[in-house]
Amino acid sequence: FLSRPNGYKSSFELVSDAPFPMAFPLLLLSFGSIFLGYVTKDIFVGLGTPFWNNSIFVLENHFNHVEAEFSPVHIKWLPFFVSIFGASLSVSLYHFFSQEMFNLY
C-alpha cells in the first residue's frame, strides 16, 4: 500500500488472488479475445470499412488514416516498445527503490 491502511488486519489477512479453477478460464478468454480482435480488426477499423458509417465524423483536412495505414513499421511498433519500457521501469523501480520512494511520501 502507498499509505497506512484503514481496515482491520484480520480482513487483510484473508485477501488472496483468484484460485486456479477461476483464473484458468479467464486466461483462456483473454487469449481468445486478443486473437479474435486481431483477426477481425479490419472489419471495425479497416481502411474503407462501412461499419461505423457516419457515427464518427472527421473533417477532411484531419483525415489521416491513409497516412497512418502506410506509415513505416518502426513507427507502428513504437507505442508497444514504449509501453514495455514503462512497465519494466515501474517494476524495477518498485523492486529496487521501493523504500526510498515510499519515504518521499
Side-chain angles (χ1 to χ4, degrees):
F1 296 105
L2 293 178
S3 64
R4 176 159 250 153
N6 292 327
Y8 295 110
K9 186 176 181 179
S10 60
S11 298
F12 287 111
E13 289 175 349
L14 298 175
V15 174
S16 65
D17 287 332
F20 183 74
M22 184 185 291
F24 184 69
L26 291 175
L27 185 69
L28 288 177
L29 286 171
S30 67
F31 283 129
S33 66
I34 291 171
F35 175 73
L36 194 65
Y38 179 76
V39 170
T40 62
K41 69 178 178 176
D42 287 333
I43 295 172
F44 299 109
V45 293
L47 191 62
T49 180
F51 181 78
W52 295 106
N53 286 339
N54 293 327
S55 62
I56 301 173
F57 179 73
V58 181
L59 290 174
E60 292 176 5
N61 56 354
H62 293 263
F63 188 77
N64 55 5
H65 292 152
V66 176
E67 290 88 4
E69 190 76 23
F70 300 108
S71 62
V73 176
H74 66 277
I75 300 296
K76 292 181 181 180
W77 278 98
L78 188 64
F80 173 75
F81 288 123
V82 170
S83 300
I84 295 296
F85 173 73
S88 61
L89 179 68
S90 66
V91 167
S92 64
L93 283 177
Y94 178 76
H95 183 69
F96 295 113
F97 299 107
S98 62
Q99 199 64 21
E100 290 82 7
M101 289 191 307
F102 291 145
N103 287 338
L104 291 176
Y105 181 68

